[in-house]
Amino acid sequence: MNLGGSQAVKSMSVTSSSVSRKSGDGVSDQFPVGLRVLVVDDDPTCLRILEKMLKNCLYEVTKCNRAELALNYLRENKNGYDIVISDVHMPDMDGFKLLEHVGLEMDLPVIMMSADDSKKVVMKGITHGAVDYLIKPVRIEALKNIWQHVVRKKKDEYKGKDYEQTGSVEDGEQHQKPPEDSEYSSSANEGSWKNPKKRKDEEDEAEERDDTSTLKKPRVVWSVELHQQFVTAVNHLGLDKAVPKKILELMNVPGLTRENVASHLQKYRLYLRRLSGVSQHQSGLNNAFMGPTDATFGPISSLNGLDIQALAASGQLPPQSLATIQAAALGRANKSPVPVPLVDQRNLFSFENPKLRFGEDSQQLNNNSKQINLLHGIPTNMEPKQLATLRQSAQSFGNLNMQLHSQPSQSGSILTQMSQPQSRTPILNEINCSHVSTLPSSLGQPILSQALPSSVLPRNGIENVRGGTYGSVSQPSSAIDFSVNPGTEFPGNSFPLMSNSGIPILTSKGMIQEEVNSEMKVPRGFLPNYDTFDELNQNRSQDWGMQNVGSTFDVSQHSNLQGSLGVSPSILVQQGFSSNHKSEQSRNASVSKAAFSVGDGRIGNSSSPGQQVNSSTADISQRIKAERLPNMGFQNTFFPEQFGQDDLMSALLKQQEGTGAVESEFGFDGYQLDNLPV
Amino acid sequence: MEGNHFQRQAAYTRKTLFDQGYLDEQFIQLEDLQDDANPNFVEEVVKLFYTDSARLIRNIDLALADNSSHFDFEKLDDIMHQFKGSSSSIGANKIKKECTQFQEYCNAGNLEGCIRTFQQVKQEHATLKRKLESYFQLTRQDR
């Protein structure tokens, strides 16, 4: 009877010993009771002991002696587990491999265990993303606290890190509501702290964007300021010595976790590498990034490849992908100005997508995606609010975009403009940039080419945004991105990320020194883009600028490589935006959606999203529309992914018609579609 | 009264096992897990260990007997790593120590040392089994 009652309520695994889960009432009080743990160890003795210990902690335990089996359990029941504990040495599969899979596919916290306590192995666990490493024999005390990893992860996902953005903050706060309350009642909250993937599937969630915040934002939003703080800290420590812990300390931002910083740092590094690599030689970049998915990107043009690699390397839509994309986009300015922007966005967000996309019509995608990515990527990071802002800015950019086409030289000005916005939120810029860069990977080239034509845009857009200081085309990449952003009002600017990152990267790389400088300024601008995705949507041109900023950032990189890209990057960006703009909302929405959805599922894992992204544009657009991309929460995760740019683009284009709504859906939707001044 | 006698015996035996270093703190962890729902938990786990470890010991013996020109120390170390992890999980202190010694020889590529040490490992393994069996008998008498 009580079982029946509780079951009715929870219907979760009844088997669990945790009562609270079932009833769903007082779950929060009882947390972490009922934590659903999957423990994997080939040693039956250890397994039995662990099982008993976990049960004694009042957790709901599922034991498994084979990694493959564990993965099956996880896959079959996506939301059935909260945390995984796995041994390192297992006969059928290396524990680290399992760790990677879980991280990518399910995005669950994984704790590694081993009798081996050598630093090397422990370090390996850390680098592979384990949230903790326990030395055997494991004591029950060590297991009592594993719930912290679950909470932390949820918190990071939900809470927006955009401290300065009100919007994001709100969202963040809402999300913050920890899962404690809800989570255990799996049935209850689906979403709240269930995997982002779930979110992705739930289209409606996107619509709740405004109120959502609770569930939607899976990622921390790296606002311009936050990013700037991050960059400052990194520069202070020296890129080589910058470790998440120290960075975290230097940043001294409440609520920011080491993990957030670590993943951001990873992306940032990739982005930097990408930038430097791009300038040196595209191929070099590809190698540089060599990420695990190297192969995937291989075929793609160097630019693209680079981007993709960056993306791949990041492993999770890290900003790097954005940078890559941006770079790629920049480099590609030559391509037709296709409304790539949409695509880009997707790419940005979906880390995986870029990879996938690459394979597909790389050219097209690249072009499209690049542009889009650049733009998109940026917004994704931003929270919906930001997107809105971006959107608005994008609108202004949109104008630019249009014009850009006609005047390639504009790009330069864009850059300049971008630099202006820098002040905005350097952090954002960086983030954006990084994201953008990722985009370029997929778009890489196309974007650049497109960018060129869109130089006009930037100019216009930028001007609107800022005043159109495109003058400095030469540096377009960096400058453009930034300049664009600044012009717009990126409130939230997540874009600036791009610029920020771009700048530092450039400087360090030395390649784009100039750009860097200009970018430095720009980043600010970018950030706003990101953050103000929404805004952008509204200001098309603005967004565009923002996006461009981010993208240009990368693009410029590429352009530098390419040599005369200068203009292109900006153009690309703009183009992307403009095109996006056109389709605007619809596109943005779709793009963002795609991005998000992709990213959603994966935030950080991007493995599957990519595939999804590949789905036809139609799908994407539909998806995008449907899902409003919950607060660009995807922030980092999304960027790397490149949604089938082409798809996105087309989808976006289709949606152009007045899809204002789309924008709102995505939170950043404004950004994507609207922003692009078509 | 009888119960008390066995209880005392059991307690004494247990204390000796700890004092003589056969068992370590991890064994206490197991004991702490034992409760009314699982009154024989410790014995159950120890049994599980001895069943599984027999397999591992066999594998190590086979590996040690390998006469091929290139002796695979890595594989040997790998199996031993598993065995050691298992032993330490039940608090088998002496066995664990011998395992560590074995691994040192293994890392040094000293097959002779490995073979010798493994003899020790097997001996400790058997000794502990005996002692724990009689210990559990005492505790069972108690109930």
Side-chain angles (χ1 to χ4, degrees), chain A residues 42-46 48-49 52-54 56 89 91 114-116 136-141, chain B residues 25-26 29-30 32-33 35 38 41 44-45 48-49 52 78 81-82 85-86 88-90:
Chain A
D42 64 308
D43 183 322
T45 313
C46 291
R48 181 79 186 91
I49 296 173
K52 188 70 176 73
M53 282 181 171
L54 290 164
N56 273 29
H89 292 95
S114 180
D116 190 348
K136 285 179 166 182
V138 179
R139 297 167 57 90
I140 193 169
E141 287 81 28
Chain B
E25 213 270 333
Q26 189 61 21
Q29 289 271 319
L30 298 191
D32 287 346
L33 291 172
D35 50 29
N38 301 61
F41 180 73
E44 180 195 325
V45 172
L48 203 50
F49 166 74
D52 191 54
D78 206 51
H81 176 85
Q82 291 178 54
S86 210
S88 66
S89 73
I90 64 158

Side-chain angles (χ1 to χ4, degrees), chain A residues 104-157:
Chain A
L104 286 172
E105 294 178 37
M106 294 107 203
D107 194 26
L108 288 177
V110 181
I111 294 178
M112 299 307 291
M113 295 186 291
S114 180
D116 190 348
D117 61 349
S118 64
K119 246 193 345 190
K120 199 165 46 110
V121 184
V122 177
M123 180 59 91
K124 199 170 173 196
I126 296 171
T127 55
H128 279 72
V131 297
D132 206 349
Y133 190 102
L134 306 177
I135 307 292
K136 285 179 166 182
V138 179
R139 297 167 57 90
I140 193 169
E141 287 81 28
L143 296 176
K144 280 209 172 99
N145 286 325
I146 62 174
W147 60 268
Q148 64 174 293
H149 302 295
V150 177
V151 174
R152 189 177 296 122
K153 204 167 181 95
K154 286 300 167 190
K155 180 174 88 83
D156 287 351
E157 286 180 353

